[in-house]
Every structure is written in structure tokens, then in C-alpha cells.
Amino acid sequence: MIRISQQLINGLSIGSIYALIAIGYSLIYSILMFSNFAHSSFLLMGAYTGFYILILLSSSFPLSLLIAMLGSGILAVLIEKIAYKPIRDRGNPTLYFIIASMGISIFFENFIICTIGPRFRSYPRIMQTTFVELGKLNISVMDIYAAVVAIAFLLMLSYLIEKTKVGIAIRAASFDLEVVGLMGVNTNMLISIVFLIAGILAGLAGEFLGVKYTVYPQLGYITNKAYIAAVFGGLGNLKGAVLGSILLGLLEALITGFLSSAMRDIFVFCLLILVLLIKPSGLMGIQKQDKV
Amino acid sequence: MKKISLIVIGVLVISAFLAGCGGGNKEAESIKVGYLVHVTGDSALWGISEKNGAIIAQEEINEAGGVLGKKLDIMFYDGRGNSADSVNAVKKAVQQDKVVAMLGSNLSGPTIAVGPICASAKVPQVASFATNPRVTQDDNGNLKPWSFRLCFTDPYQGKLIADYAYDKLGKKNAAVLYDVTNDYSSGLTDFFVKRFEEKGGKVVSKLSFRTGDVDFRAQLSEIKQKNADILVLPNGYKEIALIAKQAKDLGMRDIVKISGDSGYSISLFEMAGEELDGNYYVIQHFAWDDPDVAPIKDKYEKKFNESPEVNAAMGYDMVYFIADAIKRAGKADGEAIRNAIEESKDVKLKHASITIDPKTHDPKNKAGIILKFEGNKAVFVDKFAPQD
């Protein structure tokens, strides 16, 4: 029982970080119908911004989180304006977006290697007590913190999508961006807002990853797993992204603990393939013609 | 459009011509030696140190008149920590730049991958910290005639860890957490397990992860259940720092950790100083407090304004080693240099005296140094060689 519970906790803590990243993938996919692989750059931006704010200004942790989120959000909006808008304006096919986004992610990783350097950097110690004991279980304080903040942001996002005017526009755009534009919504503005949200969440995830692990130029690779989680849950569906992420985190922990650590990824991916064979659009996805 | 392409072609032609001329002139007055270093990617920290150490040695040698009356020209190639990029880099080195010897690298995977390229170009390869047996021998145990190394091997290192844990630290129940996608890590694990079980110890848990993983709590939770008294970590410093932190978060504060030669970097103190303090042993090829090696550190700090990794001393010694081999060969020719390397006997370097065993192409009887983490320093504990 203890073993199972400990692994569930481990899985949930990984899953909640996946969720913050996967939401961004799904959100952008739902509007622009392409997978934004530049998402890893937003994450890196958050991780490094938070790190330098803490190191140089020795600010409080919440403040550094805030600045990291803003930094990533602004970067996301800029990338959209510089790289994607020209493609959109020419009406080029989805493939161009994907190629551009991959290019950005490679550029950004190497940009960091060239400017900041390739070495691993550690965040300063943020809290003295690192874990709490519940009977025989150990829960890391940072995980609780991260989970609470993640849940708070997901609730806020869900309120924004469900209850506000912007949210209605976003939902409408996910059905048909062109028609929304014809209805008098400023679609450029709307897309910027969507990128801002995706960037903010990625920045949050980035700083949490940096604190829990370390900061290094290849930190963005974790977005691959989160992207898979988003596909697993159904690309374009926000609830699906959260569900897929939590499931993926739990699966990874349980398989490592109870089956085989070496076979972890094989098992996880076989399960994913199985799910996609039965439900090609993912757990909660909507049937669409072309999935990229 | 046509104009532009004409200009481009013109520039290419001119630059090719110039490069040809430049190369021609240079060849007459310098001996070109390639050095495969990984200055980007996961292990960049070591690669940069190794490169800088080699630069110091190159300057010293050239100031003292070079080798065979010519300047020694060490050309660095970035393998980016992976086999694919290393293969491309070394192809360029042997085919275009025509180096007479290839030094490096410090990683087993890429070094094994570039071996055949060096062999087919008849260029001897000398690895710095590539410890996997397959660097100098193929899968059937046959010698690779063109490949050498200056470090000890993984089987030897695995023995070292097992003997030290069992005999000196008195630990009987070991857990291993290793990288299943990494040659070094899985090799070392096998050799450790074999030796430890031969001695009568028990390996209570053997779990793995994949390169790039940053969360090891699932594995550590299992290890905690098994009540191991020593945790063997045949990994790089980044994983070791993360594992130490996460072990502490799971309440495994006191478990003793031990690792092979990849497990040490000065970054460890920044990354996991207090989690490793007092219960972490690491095996090294030499210690910085050795009076022979200390001057390299001073020169390094003066020149580059940072503390060197152990690779700096190895990079330094590698250049001296190849310079010595070229001198003994009497000419800058791959085959002659290869024979000279094979006959190396008691070559006095700063970190050790190297005798190459012609049967294995590995150094003979190199003792390991055991360091322990105490008070944010790596302290020398023991000089140790396994008894067969």
C-alpha cells in the first residue's frame, strides 16, 4: 500500500507539470490547427528568467515566478508576431507553421548555449524544509506548492474560457477562425491572447522544472512528453490535455516501480498507440480531418 | 537572381582556392593533430575543460620549439556529446584536414563510433576518458589496432567500486541506479554487479532510467523499500546531483553513495552540496592536491579565470603524450605514430606514468583515487587498486 501510494504521489507531481505544458499545446492547436513545437522555447525562457531574477535580484520566489511567466508570455506573443503571422497572412499550409516552430525551438536552445553557456545551473535553495512526512510517505514541499499553483492557474483558465467574452471568442475560434473574424472579432488580437496564455503557463512550468531539477539548455525536451500527453488526451481539448498529462505521469511512475524501469517508455508508448488505435482523436478529442 | 548566384559561385571558388593555398603553406610548418571534444551538449563542462587544458599544453610545447622542429597544431572538433555529430566531425578531420593523429574523446559512445573512421584512414586514436572496453577491443575481444586510451577501463573501475564498497566500507546490500541508454553506465553496472556478487555481496535492486531523465523518484521509492545500504551511481554528475536531492526528499538521507569517474564535477557543490556531504565517494584517475598536477590548475585558473574540471589535466597530458609519441616516431605519419604509441613505456606525464599494454592498448596498472565529499570539498581518502 505504501509503495503504491508513494508511486502515485511521484506520478501526480510529474503529471501536474506535464499538464501546464500540454494545455499550451492544446490551446494553440485548437485555434491554429498546428502543433507549436516552439513551446519548448517558452519553457526555457521561463526557467532562465526565473533563475536570473532569483540570483541577481534575490527577489522572493513568487515574484520571480510572476516575472518568469510574463517573460515567457511576452516571448510567445513575439514569436507569434515574428514567425507565424507572416505565414498566416500568406495563407500557407499548416506544414509551414510546424517547420517554423521546430526551427524556433532549435534556434532558441542553441542561442542559450551560445549566450548563457551549456552548463547546468542550480536554483538557489528556496525553502529550508524540502519534504513532509505523512506516516511512511514523503511528499516534497515544492511538489505541493507546484500542484497548488498549477491547479489555481488551470481553474483561472477554465473560468476565462467558460465565463468571459474572450473565452467565448476563443471557443468560437476553435470551431472556425475565419467566421469569428467575419463576426467582427479581431483575430490577430485573439491569437496573441492565446499565445500569451500558453506562454504564461509554459513559463510557470519552466520555473518549477528549474527549481525541482536544474536549468540547462536541453530542459525543453520535456515538452516532447507533454506533447504526447496532449495527443493522448485529445489535441485541442483542454480537459483532455490535463487528463492525458496526469495519466501519463502516473503510468510512468507505476511502470517504473512495478514492472521495469528499463521498459518504462516502451510500455507507455505501447499503451498510447493502443489508445490511439481505438480512439484516433485521443481520449477526449473531437474528430478532425487532418491531425498533424 | 542570376547575378547573385554568380557572385556566390565566385566567392566559393575564390575561398576554396585560398583555403587550398593556406592549407598547403601550413602543412609544411606544422603537425596537425585532431582532438575530439564535446564542448556543447550535456557534458560540455568537461569538454571545455579538456580543450582548455590541451590549449595550455600546446602553447607550452610550441614555445619550447614544437615537435620535430615543427609547430604542433591541435585542431579541436566538437562532437556535441553524441555519436552522429562526432562521426561527422572526425570524418572532416581525417579526410579534409588530414590530421596525423586523433585525440579524444572523454565519452565512450562517440569514441567507439569514430574508431572505424580513424582505422580506415590509418590515423591512431587516443581516447582520454572513454572507459568502455569496446574502445580498444571489438565485441569478440579482438584488439582494435588503431585505438588506444589513457584512462582505466570500466571492468577495472567496476571492480574498484565493488571492492571498495565491500571491503573498505563494509557494505553488503547494494542498489544500482543506472542509465540504460548509455554505454558507460550500463557497462560499469554489469562489471560492478558481477564482482560484488562474486565477493558475496547482494545486489538488492538494479533499476534504470534513460538519458535525459530528470526525475528518479519512482526508482528511488523502490530502492528505499529494499533497504539497501549503499547506492551505486555509475552516472554523470548531473544525474547524481538530482538523485541525491530526490533521495533526500524521499527521506533517504543517510544512504551512502558511490560512483565512477564520471560522477565528479565542481558543479556538484552548487547542485547538491549538502545532500552529498559526508556520504558520497567517487573514483578518480588522480587528485588535484597531487603536487605534480597542481601547477596545471594554477595555469588554468590564471588563463581562463575559472576552476578546471579533472579533464583539464587529462587534456594537458594528452597533448604531451602525443607530442612524445610523434617525437619517438620521428615523423608525422599515422602509422609511425601508431607504433610509437604502442611502444609507450613509462611515459612521464603529470597525472600518471603511462605504459601502454600492447595486448590491450590500455594503460597498465593504473591505480584509482577515492575522493569523499566533506565540507563542500572533495577530500582524498585512498589510493586503491583491486587485488585479483
Side-chain angles (χ1 to χ4, degrees):
Chain A
M1 200 56 229
I2 293 285
R3 268 176 82 190
I4 283 244
S5 319
Q6 185 69 60
Q7 294 299 15
L8 287 177
I9 291 167
N10 296 341
L12 279 174
S13 93
I14 302 168
S16 65
I17 299 276
Y18 285 163
L20 285 175
I21 307 167
I23 284 257
Y25 274 117
S26 261
L27 200 58
I28 291 171
Y29 184 87
S30 71
I31 307 278
L32 291 178
M33 305 304 292
F34 84 96
S35 306
N36 171 35
F37 291 113
H39 212 75
S40 57
S41 319
F42 310 165
L43 191 92
L44 274 180
M45 181 78 187
Y48 275 96
T49 311
F51 172 75
Y52 279 109
I53 295 290
L54 277 172
I55 291 272
L56 300 176
L57 306 180
S58 46
S59 72
S60 66
F61 181 57
L63 181 69
S64 75
L65 261 184
L66 205 67
I67 298 173
M69 288 192 295
L70 277 177
S72 293
I74 291 165
L75 177 78
V77 173
L78 281 179
I79 283 181
E80 198 280 324
K81 286 266 180 279
I82 295 164
Y84 300 153
K85 193 169 174 300
I87 301 177
R88 259 203 348 261
D89 291 344
R90 293 195 194 104
N92 278 333
T94 311
L95 192 60
Y96 287 54
F97 283 112
I98 293 176
I99 293 167
S101 70
M102 286 176 176
I104 291 162
S105 113
I106 294 168
F107 165 81
F108 210 83
E109 181 190 321
N110 285 288
F111 178 74
I112 289 199
I113 289 173
C114 297
T115 51
I116 296 172
R119 55 176 287 226
F120 299 96
R121 306 300 303 269
S122 270
Y123 269 76
R125 286 179 200 280
I126 284 153
M127 34 192 89
Q128 283 314 311
T129 45
T130 50
F131 64 94
V132 285
E133 283 184 79
L134 289 174
K136 281 197 163 173
L137 292 180
N138 290 57
I139 306 175
S140 137
V141 176
M142 201 65 219
D143 280 350
I144 300 172
Y145 195 108
V148 168
V149 175
I151 290 165
F153 270 90
L154 294 180
L155 288 175
M156 270 193 260
L157 179 66
S158 126
Y159 175 83
L160 180 97
I161 300 271
E162 301 293 334
K163 301 274 191 257
T164 63
K165 207 167 170 182
V166 172
I168 294 172
I170 291 176
R171 275 182 294 147
S174 74
F175 280 98
D176 197 326
L177 189 63
E178 233 170 294
V179 175
V180 170
L182 295 174
M183 297 295 123
V185 174
N186 178 346
T187 51
N188 281 340
M189 188 68 189
L190 189 68
I191 287 168
S192 290
I193 289 171
V194 166
F195 270 83
L196 182 72
I197 296 169
I200 283 176
L201 293 179
L204 188 66
E207 172 140 11
F208 280 137
L209 284 172
V211 172
K212 280 168 65 161
Y213 309 119
T214 42
V215 203
Y216 54 102
Q218 291 82 21
L219 187 70
Y221 290 6
I222 196 161
T223 52
N224 295 343
K225 280 268 170 67
Y227 174 69
I228 288 156
V231 174
F232 184 38
L235 254 184
N237 182 314
L238 301 190
K239 289 193 181 68
V242 176
L243 179 76
S245 303
I246 299 291
L247 281 177
L248 186 68
L250 288 175
L251 272 177
E252 284 189 346
L254 292 173
I255 287 170
T256 303
F258 294 97
L259 283 171
S260 147
S261 52
M263 304 284 269
R264 181 193 71 196
D265 287 358
I266 296 179
F267 272 107
V268 169
F269 286 103
C270 284
L271 271 168
L272 291 186
I273 291 167
L274 209 64
V275 167
L276 293 177
L277 282 173
I278 298 163
K279 284 208 68 177
S281 52
L283 290 172
M284 300 175 86
I286 319 130
Q287 285 293 356
K288 286 253 168 65
Q289 276 311 307
D290 65 324
K291 277 248 175 253
V292 190
Chain B
M1 200 59 221
K2 243 189 186 156
K3 252 190 192 157
I4 289 176
S5 41
L6 273 177
I7 291 169
V8 169
I9 289 167
V11 168
L12 283 177
V13 168
I14 292 166
S15 60
F17 182 73
L18 285 176
C21 293
N25 286 339
K26 230 178 164 177
E27 225 150 288
E29 63 198 41
S30 75
I31 295 174
K32 281 195 213 170
V33 174
Y35 202 144
L36 181 65
V37 281
H38 304 285
V39 291
T40 50
D42 255 12
S43 61
L45 211 59
W46 292 324
I48 292 167
S49 258
E50 199 168 313
K51 180 179 174 177
N52 291 346
I55 289 172
I56 296 174
Q58 178 191 358
E59 284 173 0
E60 284 177 10
I61 290 171
N62 286 338
E63 271 165 29
V67 182
L68 305 177
K70 289 178 186 166
K71 266 205 163 8
L72 185 64
D73 184 11
I74 306 283
M75 304 175 76
F76 295 98
Y77 299 87
D78 186 6
R80 308 183 59 125
N82 68 63
S83 301
D85 285 311
S86 301
V87 165
N88 291 335
V90 171
K91 271 189 179 153
K92 182 177 179 292
V94 298
Q95 288 164 5
Q96 286 176 33
D97 301 339
K98 299 271 188 255
V99 297
V100 293
M102 195 71 215
L103 304 175
S105 80
N106 62 326
L107 302 178
S108 293
T111 308
I112 293 167
V114 303
I117 302 167
C118 297
S120 65
K122 294 210 174 343
V123 168
Q125 170 198 29
V126 187
S128 52
F129 278 127
T131 47
N132 190 294
R134 291 188 9 246
V135 170
T136 53
Q137 296 166 12
D138 64 15
D139 292 343
N140 311 323
N142 301 323
L143 193 64
K144 293 182 180 173
W146 294 89
S147 301
F148 302 86
R149 77 177 105 214
L150 295 194
C151 55
F152 43 63
T153 61
D154 286 338
Y156 185 84
Q157 223 184 148
K159 266 188 211 165
L160 248 161
I161 299 175
D163 289 16
Y164 198 80
Y166 192 90
D167 298 332
K168 294 271 172 154
L169 299 174
K171 306 291 182 190
K172 308 289 181 258
N173 297 314
V176 191
L177 179 49
Y178 70 102
D179 182 344
V180 70
T181 49
N182 176 308
D183 277 347
Y184 166 81
S185 194
S186 12
L188 200 49
T189 301
D190 294 343
F191 301 119
F192 165 80
V193 169
K194 188 165 164 275
R195 179 75 171 189
F196 196 69
E197 284 175 343
E198 272 170 17
K199 291 192 86 79
K202 247 177 80 184
V203 177
V204 291
S205 175
K206 186 177 149 209
L207 294 170
S208 64
F209 56 89
R210 299 172 59 84
T211 304
D213 282 3
V214 286
D215 203 297
F216 309 98
R217 284 175 302 179
Q219 291 91 330
L220 288 167
S221 302
E222 291 307 297
I223 288 170
K224 190 183 171 186
Q225 296 287 335
K226 295 280 197 310
N227 295 324
D229 52 12
I230 186 158
L231 177 54
V232 180
L233 302 171
N235 311 311
Y237 64 96
K238 170 194 155 203
E239 282 91 8
I240 287 168
L242 291 170
I243 287 168
K245 275 184 168 171
Q246 289 162 21
K248 188 188 163 198
D249 282 354
L250 291 167
M252 306 159 73
R253 184 73 185 87
D254 301 325
I255 190 162
V256 172
K257 305 162 197 77
I258 186 164
S259 78
D261 65 339
S262 282
Y264 176 67
S265 155
I266 30 185
S267 307
L268 268 176
F269 301 108
E270 179 196 335
M271 288 167 83
E274 65 177 53
E275 284 88 355
L276 288 168
D277 208 32
N279 65 5
Y280 176 59
Y281 295 87
V282 57
I283 287 168
Q284 290 293 298
H285 299 70
F286 63 89
W288 278 123
D289 10 1
D290 182 331
D292 284 341
V293 186
I296 302 177
K297 192 176 179 182
D298 299 338
K299 279 176 196 154
Y300 190 102
E301 282 167 349
K302 224 181 264 142
K303 191 168 163 69
F304 299 104
N305 294 325
E306 56 177 37
S307 292
E309 298 282 350
V310 286
N311 302 63
M314 186 56 112
Y316 181 94
D317 275 353
M318 292 273 289
V319 173
Y320 270 99
F321 179 78
I322 201 73
D324 173 78
I326 295 170
K327 264 186 209 136
R328 282 185 288 115
K331 55 180 178 187
D333 160 72
E335 192 125 12
I337 295 171
R338 192 207 81 88
N339 297 337
I341 295 173
E342 200 165 37
E343 290 154 12
S344 298
K345 211 170 152 52
D346 294 321
V347 177
K348 272 260 171 288
L349 299 174
K350 296 288 186 220
H351 83 280
S353 268
I354 299 283
T355 301
I356 296 284
D357 183 344
K359 286 200 278 303
T360 59
H361 282 192
D362 303 328
K364 256 187 176 157
N365 305 335
K366 230 179 145 175
I369 307 279
I370 312 274
L371 302 177
K372 185 183 180 182
F373 272 43
E374 261 165 16
N376 259 351
K377 274 210 300 286
V379 184
F380 174 84
V381 191
D382 214 340
K383 193 166 186 161
F384 192 72
Q387 304 305 319
D388 274 322

